[in-house]
Amino acid sequence: METTTIEYSGKELKAHEKMVQPRWKRITLLFVLGYEAADCLLGGILLVAAPDGRLIYMSVDIMHGVFHDFLIPGVLLFGLGILNTAAFFAVLRRRPSDWIMAGLALGGLLIWFWIEIAILQEFHWLHAMLGLPVVAGFLATFSLVPLQQTTLQKAVLYCGILSSLLYAAINIIVPMQYPGYSSASQVVSELSAIGAPTRMLWLVLATPYIFLILAFAWGILKSAGKNRPLRIAGGFMLAYGALGFLWPFASMHQREVLEAGGGTFSDTMHIALGAATEIFYLLALGFAASALGKRFRIYSIITFVAVLVFGILTFMDAPKLSTNEPTPLIGVWERINIGIFLLWVVMLATVLLRAEKNAAMLTAAESKTKKNSLGI
């Protein structure tokens, strides 16, 4: 792969080395911490006061025997409320540890939501209402971290590589937990289909993928500098990642249900999201190709054609899912399609990481030259 250099102006390079939190990010972070603290404190009090769940109109049965009542979850939730309150005041007073406190508080909430979904075996709309602000809070917290901007950008670019590795691992692990599932003749969506035995396992394991992709998209935007096509590519990757929050609400039904006419709006939305996902990452691929070097452009064009070909092959067999007809190779076509895209994400991250390294070396060389000219 050829060397790619992303150009920054002198002012941009200086800004990269100094982490200053914009006011709107500070307000966003304070709002998120206050909002989550109030919700956790109130919810914790209600659960501890009535461990049978009557005050929140929930039955203990929803926890599937993991806990006998809501006392322990209530205590943990109240503890998260205290942690978010402490983080709120740390950020408000601009304490040196504000970024640590905010990271611990918001990280604790993400772990809470992740475990809660696994225990309840259900993704509720409340998870989105309370979870999405946490994502916004995390993004605002980045600007508090006392690291050089280039160091932070490298970290989030590595998230692109990790996201592909995670998704590939999930596609190996989850099918093994589905008796009778065939990776060759069944699509990936059937692993999270309504009624599938691996639905919750898939949703829980796939949740970190969303955040890794969003972090990677943010890294693309920050790495773009004056490169407009690359900024657009980052925007489309951000949209692609954001769609991940909608997938749990747009799951398909199992083939038998679809054959019997049991399809719902969820199945229609599933198809629409699938099409939108394909469009977003193809657009991201196209703009990134035009932004980064000749070799990467050629590689991206080949990737584009391959994704298109295997996408069409998958689409041709897709109507047979609703009639429960044999689809002996649909899983093969789809997984090749996905694998090609995952590899492209890894290559994009690698190219951008090399560009960051080249920019850092160039800056260091210019600084040394300037010092030499001044006789320092």
Side-chain angles (χ1 to χ4, degrees):
M1 192 68 65
E2 68 181 9
T3 299
T4 303
T5 302
I6 299 175
E7 295 183 359
Y8 298 100
S9 67
K11 291 182 179 180
E12 285 177 316
L13 285 170
K14 289 181 180 179
H16 284 356
E17 302 302 320
K18 186 177 180 182
M19 300 296 289
V20 179
Q21 187 181 41
R23 186 172 181 177
W24 70 270
K25 288 187 179 180
R26 178 179 168 78
I27 293 173
T28 299
L29 180 55
L30 286 170
F31 172 79
V32 171
L33 290 171
Y35 171 72
E36 298 293 347
D39 178 75
C40 291
L41 290 173
L42 178 60
I45 290 172
L46 293 176
L47 291 176
V48 172
D52 60 358
R54 65 180 183 276
L55 295 180
I56 58 172
Y57 303 101
M58 288 187 180
S59 170
V60 176
D61 294 336
I62 66 174
M63 292 188 289
H64 299 93
V66 177
F67 293 103
H68 297 299
D69 55 36
F70 288 108
L71 180 60
I72 294 178
V75 171
L76 293 174
L77 190 60
F78 188 78
L80 283 173
I82 294 175
L83 183 57
N84 276 266
T85 301
F88 175 87
F89 285 106
V91 174
L92 182 65
R93 296 176 181 178
R94 300 179 186 272
R95 299 289 190 190
S97 61
D98 53 3
W99 66 278
I100 298 177
M101 293 297 296
L104 288 174
L106 297 175
L109 285 170
L110 285 181
I111 294 173
W112 167 272
F113 289 133
W114 200 32
I115 295 176
E116 183 180 59
I117 292 170
I119 291 175
L120 300 183
Q121 299 181 22
E122 178 184 1
F123 192 96
H124 198 273
W125 62 269
L126 283 172
H127 292 131
M129 188 181 80
L130 297 173
L132 288 178
V134 174
V135 178
F138 258 119
L139 293 175
T141 302
F142 281 147
S143 57
L144 291 176
V145 181
L147 294 173
Q148 291 183 345
Q149 184 73 7
T150 51
T151 303
L152 183 59
Q153 284 177 203
K154 286 180 182 178
V156 292
L157 289 176
Y158 275 113
C159 287
I161 298 174
L162 291 175
S163 69
S164 290
L165 293 176
L166 174 63
Y167 199 89
I170 295 172
N171 264 286
I172 294 173
I173 295 170
V174 178
M176 295 171 64
Q177 308 304 315
Y178 192 149
Y181 181 87
S182 170
S183 295
S185 61
Q186 291 181 267
V187 295
V188 173
S189 293
E190 291 183 77
L191 293 170
S192 60
I194 298 172
T198 52
R199 174 173 168 76
M200 275 302 109
L201 178 62
W202 176 274
L203 292 178
V204 170
L205 293 180
T207 299
Y209 174 79
I210 300 172
F211 296 108
L212 288 172
I213 280 292
L214 289 174
F216 177 55
W218 183 83
I220 296 173
L221 290 170
K222 288 296 181 180
S223 298
K226 296 181 178 180
N227 194 325
R228 188 167 180 269
L230 190 58
R231 289 202 303 271
I232 296 174
F236 280 121
M237 284 299 293
L238 198 64
Y240 163 75
L243 287 180
F245 293 110
L246 299 178
W247 279 109
F249 305 102
S251 299
M252 65 176 286
H253 284 82
Q254 293 180 293
R255 297 189 186 203
E256 296 78 6
V257 177
L258 294 174
E259 183 185 18
T264 64
F265 177 72
S266 177
D267 296 279
T268 304
M269 190 174 175
H270 185 86
I271 296 172
L273 277 181
T277 297
E278 190 90 8
I279 291 172
F280 281 148
Y281 73 59
L282 283 176
L283 286 171
L285 188 153
F287 278 100
S290 65
L292 299 169
K294 183 178 180 181
R295 291 186 181 180
F296 186 77
R297 186 178 303 119
I298 294 172
Y299 167 70
S300 294
I301 292 173
I302 294 172
T303 298
F304 185 96
V305 173
V307 166
L308 204 59
V309 169
F310 287 103
I312 291 173
L313 289 173
T314 304
F315 178 78
M316 289 172 63
D317 274 347
K320 296 179 182 179
L321 296 175
S322 60
T323 56
N324 200 16
E325 296 179 57
T327 51
L329 293 176
I330 191 171
V332 175
W333 307 142
E334 185 186 39
R335 281 171 173 80
I336 291 176
N337 183 297
I338 293 172
I340 292 170
F341 173 70
L342 295 180
L343 180 60
W344 179 82
V345 169
V346 171
M347 296 304 294
L348 175 60
T350 302
V351 169
L352 293 177
L353 284 166
R354 287 181 179 176
E356 290 289 338
K357 182 179 179 180
N358 292 336
M361 292 174 63
L362 180 61
T363 303
E366 290 177 348
S367 177
K368 185 177 180 179
T369 301
K370 184 177 181 181
K371 288 181 179 180
N372 291 337
S373 65
L374 295 173
I376 300 176

